[in-house]
Each structure stands twice: as C-alpha cells, then as structure tokens.
Amino acid sequence: MGTGQQAATRDVITLKGSSSIVGEFFSYAVNSILFQRGLYPSEQFDRVKKYGLTMLVSHEDKVKGYISAVTSQIADWLQTGKVQRVVMVISSLATKEVLERWNFLIETDRDATETGATKEKSDKEIMQEIQAIMRQITSSVTFLPHLEESCSFELLVYTDTDLEAPTSWEESDPRLIKKAQEVKLRSLNTKIHKIDSLVAYKVDDDSNV
Amino acid sequence: MAALISSNGGKDPAATPAKKLPQIDRFIPDRSAMNFDVANMLVLGKENSQLQQQPLRSDCSQEEYKKQLAENLLRDANIFQKKSRILAFKSKPPPPPEGFERESRLLYSENTAPGASKPRRMFRQIPQAPERTLDAPEILDDYYLNLLDWGTNNILAVALGHTVYLWNATTGGIEELMQVSEDDGPVTSVSWAPDGKHISVGLNNADVQLWDAFSLRQVRSLKAHTARVGSLAWNGPILSTGGRDNVIFNHDVRIREHVTGKMAAHQQEVCGLKWSPSGQQLASGGNDNLLYVWDAAAAASRGNSTYLHRLDEHQAAVKALAWCPFQSNLLASGGGTADRCIKFWNTHTGACIQSVDTASQVCALQWSKHERELLSSHGFSQNQLILWKYPSMVKMAELTGHTSRVLHMAQSPDGYTVASAAGDETLRFWQVFGTPDTTKATAVRTKASSSALNSRCIR
C-alpha cells in the first residue's frame, strides 16, 4: 500500500520536475558529445554513473561552468514553455566554419505550462529513453566525419520572441551548415516535454564515405 | 448525364439541369480540387462546434498550405508560425588547450580509459643495414680466436694480425695499442678488464700481456700456457685464460704468483670462455665439442679443479657462449659447422632446456640487455646475424652484409649496438637492440658527418 502510493507519486511528472530532468539530460549530453567528438583531451573528463551508464563529465572549470550556466538557464526557461530548441554548434577554431550541429527540438505540453497539470510517466521509462539517446551519441562516432582540426563548441537556444532573456545572453545567428547531412536520433518524452534530437554534419566532398 | 449535371459540387449553381444542348461543356469533376468540407457545409447548412473549426481551416487552407510550405522550405531560416529568437550565452566556453593532440579516434572506440597509455611497441624497426662499416684489414680468419671486445669505456679493441687497435666509439678516434713481433704474434685474443682501463692480450706464443689502455704501456706479462691463448674472460681481478694446450688458468692479476687455478678437462683447444654475470660460474667450450661449467670457488683452488657440469650435446666445437643477463643460470651455447645448434642450459642442474637448429655454424652469441632477445652470428652460407626472440626462438631479424663468416661479436656498453667482425676484413656496427629514448647522445651515432671515417683504414 505504502509502496503503491510511493510509486504513484514518483510517476507523477510536474513541469518543474520535467524541466530539471531535461536540463540535466542536456548537461550530460553536451559533456558526452564533447568527449566523443574529442573537442577536449580525454584526461579532462571524469567518469560518473548516471542513467545506468558510465557518463563522462568534464572537470575542467571553465567548461563545467559554461555548461552548467547554460543548462540551468535552459531548465528555468523550460518551465515557461517558451524554449523551442537547443542547438550545440561545433565549429572549427581556425576558420570558424560550423562542422556539426546537434539539434534538440523541444515541444512543451501546453496544459502543463498553462494550467500546471501533471502527467504520469515512470522514471524508469524516461531513464531508458535517455539511455538510448546517450548510447546513440556514443555510437555516432561511427558515421560522423572525423574532426581534423581543433574545434570549439557553443550552445544556442531557440526561444519564443516574448521570452525575457537576462543580459548575460545575446542574440545570435543560427550558425547553419551549408551542405548538411542529417541523422535523426531517438527522442525523449517526459509527457510534459518532448525532445527530438538530430545531428547535422558537414559533408566532406572528398571524404570517401 | 442528368446525374452528372445535378451533382455540380457547387461550382456551377446556375447550370440548368434540364437543358441538353449539344454545345454544353462536359463537366468533368476534379475531386482533388474540390472542397468537400465547404460543400458539405453549404449543402447541409449545419453549424456545430466541429464545423466551427472547419471554416477556419478551410478558409485558410491555402494559407495553411503556404504556411506548411514555408515551414518546410524556410525551416532553417526560422520563419515559423511562432517566431523565435536565438540566444547564445555571452561568455563562451574555453577553447581546447594549446597543443592538444587530437589523436585519431578509432571507430567504435567508446569509453576506453581516458588518456589510455600507448600500447607497447610490439615490433621495433631493426635497421637491415649496418649503421657503420669500418675496415679491418689483416684480421685473421680463424674460428678459434676471439679478436674483438668492447670495453665499458666505450672503446672497441680489435686485433688485426700482429697489432691491436683501439677504436674510441665516443670520438671515433683510432689508436694503436700495441704491436707484437713476427715471432711472438699474431694476437690471438683480446679482452677488456671490467675497470675499462686495462686490457688483456693473448698471443700465439702462449703469452698473456696486460696493458694499460690509457698510457699505452704494458703492465704485466702472464706466462702459464704452453700454446697459443685463444680465449680470455675476466671476473673482477681474476683473468681466466684458455689455450690450445687444452688448459684453463685462472690468474689473479694483482699478485705476483698470479696463477690461482688450473682447469684441465678439455681434450682440445679451449675456444670459448665466459664468466657468468654473477661471477659464480665459468663456462668453457672447446674444440672437443664439450661444454664445461666450473664453479668459481673450485676454480680458485690452486690445485686441479673439477668441473660442475660436463655437457656433451654439441656435435661440433663450442665457441659461442653467452650468459643470460635477465635469468641467472641460463647459458646459451652455439655449435660449429657440424652442429649448427644453439642450446640453452640450466647451469644449476646441467639440463638442456632448449635446442634450436640454425642451419649454419654459430660463431658468436650476444644477449640483449634490454629485451628478451638473443643475437647469433653465423657463417656459411649467408654469413648473417640472426636476432631471436627468447624463449620462443622466433627469428625477429636476419642481418646480412658480411661476405665471410661472422667470427666475432661485441656489444656496446649501452647495449644498443653490436659490432661484428668477419673474415671479409670488415667491422660492421648494427643498431639491433633498439635505440635509447633520449635523442642521439650516444657516441656511435654522432659524427655522422665523418664519412671519411667510414672509408678510413684502421691501420
């Protein structure tokens, strides 16, 4: 009886809960992409157990700071329901050309933001979906072209025009890739937020893929 | 026809059904262009909540189409129904560290240990050509002599005929140590003392001379043998000499009565003589195909010593002897033309651990100090040096170049280079045991510009 009740409360997803789950997911996803794509030396990463997997998280101060600042802001904004997508842009340090774009499209359930209704979904299911996406990110190295040069990354957030942004955020251009090849990855659904992920990468003309 | 005309789909309300004029246009309905929803509404004239939505859709169906089109075509340009702004955090993440080597990531490499250590090189490049060749004219082509030795002072001593030359591997300089007269010579063996200052020279007249290599002066003369002294081996202050008189003498070079031990067991000339690194055992090989192992304590007695082991498995003269640096009591021995085998012995028990047929007479053996490898030098027909992996005895490399049997080998003090001397009157240096990790600091590889040295005659 008690356990039944506990299970029931845990399966309930609130807007705040979903936002924090999604925000956390972004933080781990970004770290994972940084490691897998080799943007930073592998010594800068620590292993953490999360989502039933071993996740690699950067312990480098500046990188950690940037990611946590952005993802916590995203989590806040998710509660407003005004976030449309989050994009991680990987561009060459030297030429500033965008080589990869990791798109996470977000759909927020209107009911939750407007009326504060709660949804039901088991934690386990959500975790499995996140696990699947993380695994896909890892396996993406098999088809993504090798990043030859030193690259930098950046996180862009697509929001509604009426969203108030603190002064620490500035407007940006979408930083698109000219001739992009796209691969759709799995999606995550917390019943309040639905995240569709896809990766777009620059097709190398001379690459013999 | 009448039915056709009656279902006019609202297109031509004015069409009069009754007329049947031959000039009338045949109306062919196009269902895809029809708007059944609108038609339905108009015909039925109903209004309910569902239909309320429909007019919206129907009225702006075109608009919707346009919108969807725009969304698909202009998706990236972001002209959505919901206009959005793109925000980026002002303080950017740091760039990757300077000089961060992006090691090429293998496919499917996932979650390997961060900063995985480079795997140990399984196979190193062994240069097939000698790094240096020196002339060695007048070198005696005699299997039973030992005319080459590389001292701890990095000076290579080689006996050419009646003269002993010292080649300084550090500077590349050559000097003549000594020359014996026609009667006394030729020189039959050379061996550096462990201190690197003195060198012992065995002569054809059974004399053993001790020289100071720095002042180039003879220090002592050790007379004990009655025939030429073909093999020498040092053990601290003790010098063991083996001669054609089949006897091995131990000399303590510090004292007046220098003969401290006598080992008479061989039936023929003693051509191989080596002390173990520990100084506990002495191995001697002779032309009688026998290999004896002597205990140091027994060898110190002034009387006749008895051997520890008598190993008779070789079928030919045993000249090549080498003690293993990494495994105590392991001795490698090589047999002559009729035998051609390298045999490994446990000198504790006297058992033969392994025997490998090399298909060619084994003239000399050198263990690697850095890896578990053994280098053997051979005669007919290839005159090659073979590098073996121990204990698998897999051939790692075969170094050819000599045009006559490779009689003598000596190892540099740093253990990376081996010098080989052959009856073809050349001295070749092989970078066979690897290279030190530091930059080219060792002497043998400097003075690359001294090409003159390469062709320079030692004499």
Side-chain angles (χ1 to χ4, degrees):
Chain A
M1 283 174 292
T3 46
Q5 211 162 29
Q6 262 184 346
T9 47
R10 240 194 304 148
D11 280 355
V12 169
I13 310 280
T14 61
L15 177 63
K16 189 151 180 239
S18 174
S19 306
S20 80
I21 290 175
V22 175
E24 207 179 35
F25 158 74
F26 278 133
S27 137
Y28 281 99
V30 168
N31 269 294
S32 182
I33 295 171
L34 287 179
F35 177 79
Q36 291 299 333
R37 302 307 287 137
L39 261 66
Y40 293 97
S42 35
E43 301 88 53
Q44 286 186 0
F45 289 84
D46 289 327
R47 302 167 150 239
V48 179
K49 282 231 140 228
K50 186 84 189 169
Y51 308 126
L53 299 170
T54 308
M55 303 300 303
L56 285 131
V57 180
S58 172
H59 62 241
E60 166 49 47
D61 288 328
K62 296 213 182 94
V63 178
K64 217 164 73 162
Y66 176 82
I67 296 177
S68 61
V70 173
T71 50
S72 57
Q73 183 61 267
I74 291 174
D76 280 341
W77 281 336
L78 281 168
Q79 290 189 49
T80 64
K82 295 198 196 287
V83 184
Q84 291 163 16
R85 55 163 111 173
V86 174
V87 175
M88 180 175 170
V89 173
I90 296 176
S91 54
S92 156
L93 255 188
T95 65
K96 305 267 181 284
E97 193 191 352
V98 179
L99 299 169
E100 259 174 47
R101 252 176 137 248
W102 293 77
N103 266 278
F104 298 95
L105 295 108
I106 304 169
E107 259 180 57
T108 318
D109 187 75
R110 287 284 145 212
D111 284 344
T113 46
E114 280 157 21
T115 64
T118 57
K119 301 282 171 167
E120 274 188 28
K121 182 138 184 199
S122 73
D123 262 357
K124 193 156 155 262
E125 258 186 76
I126 296 179
M127 200 169 89
Q128 277 176 344
E129 285 176 15
I130 294 182
Q131 228 185 53
I133 300 184
M134 293 303 184
R135 287 211 173 102
Q136 273 200 312
I137 291 176
T138 307
S139 65
S140 68
V141 294
T142 59
F143 60 83
L144 288 174
H146 180 54
L147 295 172
E148 296 294 333
E149 57 231 305
S150 280
C151 293
S152 67
F153 80 101
E154 216 185 314
L155 289 169
L156 304 175
V157 187
Y158 285 48
T159 65
D160 289 349
T161 42
D162 52 353
L163 180 65
E164 280 232 4
T167 48
S168 47
W169 288 79
E170 59 185 4
E171 297 264 356
S172 161
D173 70 308
R175 322 249 347 248
L176 300 167
I177 303 175
K178 286 189 213 38
K179 269 187 296 178
Q181 190 87 292
E182 278 184 10
V183 176
K184 198 167 182 318
L185 303 175
R186 300 176 86 110
S187 49
L188 163 68
N189 194 343
T190 65
K191 286 282 167 58
I192 294 187
H193 291 108
K194 183 167 184 292
I195 320 285
D196 283 314
S197 35
L198 69 91
V199 57
Y201 56 98
K202 174 163 172 275
V203 174
D204 208 1
D205 281 327
D206 348 283
S207 77
N208 43 3
V209 169
Chain B
M1 208 177 224
L4 205 67
I5 294 167
S6 62
S7 64
N8 57 12
K11 281 272 166 120
D12 232 345
T16 29
K19 272 209 186 129
K20 278 187 189 172
L21 295 172
Q23 292 101 335
I24 237 175
D25 285 357
R26 207 155 53 103
F27 170 65
I28 299 163
D30 182 6
R31 282 188 185 271
S32 58
M34 282 187 213
N35 217 323
F36 284 108
D37 298 320
V38 174
N40 202 19
M41 187 199 79
L42 291 174
V43 165
L44 297 176
K46 266 201 217 159
E47 269 194 5
N48 54 26
S49 54
Q50 276 183 331
L51 288 175
Q52 221 160 33
Q53 285 187 19
Q54 285 180 2
L56 275 170
R57 261 204 288 153
S58 58
D59 279 348
C60 48
S61 64
Q62 290 285 347
E63 229 182 276
E64 170 70 20
Y65 175 60
K66 274 191 210 149
K67 257 198 207 144
Q68 289 212 359
L69 199 67
E71 201 175 299
N72 281 322
L73 291 179
L74 306 170
R75 175 164 44 124
D76 287 331
N78 216 16
I79 303 176
F80 270 2
Q81 285 177 299
K82 313 188 258 181
K83 289 221 183 292
S84 52
R85 48 202 288 240
I86 306 167
L87 296 169
F89 201 54
K90 270 190 191 152
S91 51
K92 306 294 171 193
E98 284 289 312
F100 160 43
E101 281 276 313
R102 302 193 67 253
E103 75 260 18
S104 49
R105 288 202 165 252
L106 301 161
L107 287 183
Y108 307 111
S109 88
E110 107 157 297
N111 282 348
T112 46
S117 56
K118 275 184 288 202
R120 267 196 72 193
R121 283 174 304 148
M122 293 304 290
F123 204 74
R124 65 170 188 278
Q125 253 302 64
I126 298 163
Q128 290 291 309
E131 60 162 356
R132 192 192 293 266
T133 308
L134 296 178
D135 253 2
E138 310 279 318
I139 193 168
L140 288 171
D141 187 14
D142 191 330
Y143 182 82
Y144 303 99
L145 307 182
N146 289 282
L147 304 176
L148 194 69
D149 195 23
W150 204 326
T152 50
N153 48 16
N154 208 16
I155 299 178
L156 182 68
V158 58
L160 303 177
H162 295 254
T163 322
V164 175
Y165 291 94
L166 302 177
W167 180 73
N168 190 326
T170 324
T171 65
I174 299 174
E175 61 187 338
E176 184 187 308
L177 171 70
M178 53 90 86
Q179 189 169 19
V180 287
S181 65
E182 283 294 318
D183 303 324
D184 295 337
V187 178
T188 51
S189 55
V190 289
S191 184
W192 282 98
D195 66 355
K197 289 209 277 275
H198 297 93
I199 183 167
S200 57
V201 181
L203 301 177
N204 198 34
N205 66 357
D207 202 11
V208 177
Q209 293 180 351
L210 202 60
W211 284 73
D212 180 326
F214 284 85
S215 56
L216 302 179
R217 279 175 42 231
Q218 185 175 355
V219 174
R220 247 195 121 139
S221 181
L222 306 165
K223 293 193 197 298
H225 284 279
T226 53
R228 75 175 186 188
V229 181
S231 49
L232 301 166
W234 283 90
N235 182 20
I238 308 290
L239 172 65
S240 302
T241 59
R244 203 179 224 177
D245 51 6
N246 315 339
V247 179
I248 304 168
F249 282 109
N250 273 355
H251 310 263
D252 187 330
V253 298
R254 303 165 295 185
I255 58 182
R256 198 146 174 275
E257 293 298 322
H258 48 85
V259 178
T260 56
K262 180 180 172 187
M263 289 161 277
H266 281 285
Q267 302 294 311
Q268 286 189 54
E269 179 164 19
V270 181
C271 44
L273 204 61
K274 283 274 159 64
W275 276 100
S276 70
S278 60
Q280 296 294 319
Q281 288 174 322
L282 174 67
S284 68
N287 199 25
D288 51 2
N289 307 354
L290 293 175
L291 171 61
Y292 285 101
V293 180
W294 311 84
D295 189 47
S301 67
R302 278 175 198 268
N304 225 335
S305 328
T306 46
Y307 53 80
L308 205 57
H309 299 293
R310 179 180 182 273
L311 310 166
D312 60 357
E313 285 181 39
H314 278 289
Q315 307 289 314
V318 184
K319 181 198 168 193
L321 293 173
W323 289 90
C324 182
F326 52 83
Q327 198 175 324
S328 62
N329 307 310
L330 178 64
L331 173 68
S333 64
T337 319
D339 181 70
R340 303 178 297 274
C341 285
I342 299 176
K343 292 187 196 282
F344 297 89
W345 310 90
N346 177 336
T347 53
H348 251 348
T349 61
C352 177
I353 303 169
Q354 210 180 10
S355 177
V356 178
D357 190 331
T358 66
S360 176
Q361 71 170 169
V362 185
C363 302
L365 290 170
Q366 287 283 338
W367 284 96
S368 168
K369 281 191 223 156
H370 305 283
E371 308 283 341
R372 288 169 192 253
E373 290 161 9
L374 178 67
L375 184 69
S376 62
S377 73
H378 299 268
F380 184 82
S381 59
Q382 295 206 36
N383 311 315
Q384 79 275 49
L385 284 87
I386 302 180
L387 184 68
W388 309 85
K389 187 83 197 139
Y390 185 78
S392 59
M393 288 313 279
V394 168
K395 276 191 203 176
M396 283 178 67
E398 275 194 62
L399 306 172
T400 51
H402 280 293
T403 54
S404 173
R405 54 189 182 166
V406 188
L407 291 169
H408 317 284
M409 279 208 295
Q411 208 180 121
S412 63
D414 67 358
Y416 291 112
T417 314
V418 168
S420 65
D424 60 4
E425 297 185 343
T426 59
L427 209 62
R428 286 169 209 251
F429 294 83
W430 310 85
Q431 196 71 41
V432 65
F433 287 146
T435 51
D437 287 328
T438 56
T439 50
K440 298 181 180 184
T442 45
V444 188
R445 280 183 308 292
T446 53
K447 308 276 181 206
S449 54
S450 55
S451 55
L453 193 65
N454 281 348
S455 53
R456 189 167 142 196
C457 178
I458 286 185
R459 179 169 284 208

